[in-house]
Amino acid sequence: MIIVLLGAPGAGKGTQADKIHDALSLPIISTGNLLREAIASGSDLGKLAASFMDGGGLVPDELIIDLVKEKLSMPEYNGGCILDGFPRTVQQAEALGKAVDIDVALSIEVPDEVIEERMVGRRTCPKCQTTFHIKSNPPKKEGVCDKCGTTLGIRHDDELEVVDRRLHIYHQLTVHVKEYYRARGTLKEVHGQGTIAATTELVFKALGIEL
Ligand code: AP5
Ligand code: MG
């Protein structure tokens, strides 16, 4: 099964991807996480990616399409996967459609005004990339990742100015990806402005997963 998760920055794609992974044991391919790992490793790809990501822009399609295709060709993704943050442009969606069949594209809908609060309070593990929120999803021990014990940090692109730019790009480009999947009958939409648990319930219902 291949699930595409769509939604604005901060809509909860990463949070819900983890819940689906726990329920279905499907591996996650998060392009944002892959790029942040490349940045942390100091690779050429990372340096190039950072030049786009730090300002809230998108990394060029060719680069990201090659990265995802390479991942999808690995045996661990033979049984399917959850795609978090890809595709983000119609060109990426078309390239993905040529490579694999998508079962469902699930869009998590959250109004822009809710996003700001989420980004300001987000804390991210620089090692395993698990996300927390100081109010809505705090770690068990303040400032420390529940999963791997690493000190949590704040993403460079979570500054409000950059968040605004990311939201702008989402409304300009990524919304068309929703229409791409709607036209193919694979789009499902859920409200994501409730609690994490309430959203998980809607996500599982849309995907036919029993709680
Ligand atoms: P990426 O890492 O994918 O960022 P994004 O899409 O902007 O989304 P986020 O990761 O910020 O948010 P999320 O939806 O995962 O929310 P989360 O679960 O963390 O991409 C980063 C950059 O990489 C892009 O800007 C671009 O430059 C580049 N890039 C990546 N993919 C690309 C592509 N395909 N093409 C080109 N460039 C690409 O939740 C957010 C916060 O809210 C957390 O603190 C969480 O705990 C909290 N929260 C979650 N759900 C709830 C809830 N229901 N109630 C309350 N709080 C909640
Ligand atoms: Mg994310």
Side-chain angles (χ1 to χ4, degrees):
M1 184 181 201
I2 297 187
I3 301 167
V4 165
L5 285 184
L6 302 171
K13 301 182 294 297
T15 303
Q16 298 302 331
D18 282 345
K19 307 284 184 196
I20 301 167
H21 163 82
D22 292 346
L24 299 180
S25 298
L26 275 179
I28 301 167
I29 298 178
S30 159
T31 43
N33 288 358
L34 289 174
L35 295 170
R36 280 184 289 278
E37 280 162 21
I39 292 172
S41 76
S43 67
D44 288 344
L45 168 67
K47 284 180 192 136
L48 184 62
S51 68
F52 296 97
M53 289 168 76
D54 286 348
L58 292 186
V59 169
D61 282 338
E62 315 78 61
L63 202 151
I64 206 89
I65 288 167
D66 285 350
L67 188 70
V68 173
K69 274 192 183 166
E70 193 191 319
K71 276 270 162 195
L72 285 172
S73 68
M74 293 176 177
E76 63 195 279
Y77 301 106
N78 278 352
C81 66
I82 304 158
L83 286 163
D84 162 11
F86 181 93
R88 257 175 158 92
T89 63
V90 171
Q91 199 185 330
Q92 291 178 16
E94 285 169 347
L96 180 66
K98 282 182 196 149
V100 289
D101 287 328
I102 299 303
D103 293 282
V104 55
L106 183 70
S107 180
I108 304 173
E109 301 290 319
V110 176
D112 286 4
E113 51 275 19
V114 178
I115 301 287
E116 205 166 280
E117 152 79 10
R118 289 197 183 173
M119 296 313 219
V120 169
R122 174 159 63 180
R123 298 292 179 268
T124 304
C125 175
K127 193 171 175 206
C128 73
Q129 308 227 32
T130 303
T131 58
F132 299 87
H133 189 280
I134 50 172
K135 286 187 194 154
S136 62
N137 185 24
K140 290 192 183 82
K141 188 175 171 208
E142 196 184 329
V144 178
C145 178
D146 287 353
K147 281 195 185 160
C148 69
T150 304
T151 302
L152 299 175
I154 298 176
R155 266 171 51 177
H156 290 302
D157 58 352
D158 277 353
E159 282 169 35
L160 280 187
E161 225 173 82
V162 183
V163 169
D164 283 348
R165 169 110 181 98
R166 287 161 62 201
L167 277 172
H168 179 72
I169 289 180
Y170 173 77
H171 290 299
Q172 264 199 326
L173 293 175
T174 311
V175 286
H176 299 300
V177 176
K178 255 170 63 176
E179 299 317 315
Y180 174 92
Y181 288 117
R182 196 192 307 279
R184 283 155 185 79
T186 43
L187 181 74
K188 291 188 188 236
E189 293 168 282
V190 292
H191 290 295
Q193 72 269 48
T195 61
I196 292 176
T199 306
T200 303
E201 208 170 306
L202 296 175
V203 165
F204 279 19
K205 203 171 163 201
L207 296 175
I209 302 170
E210 293 206 10
L211 273 171

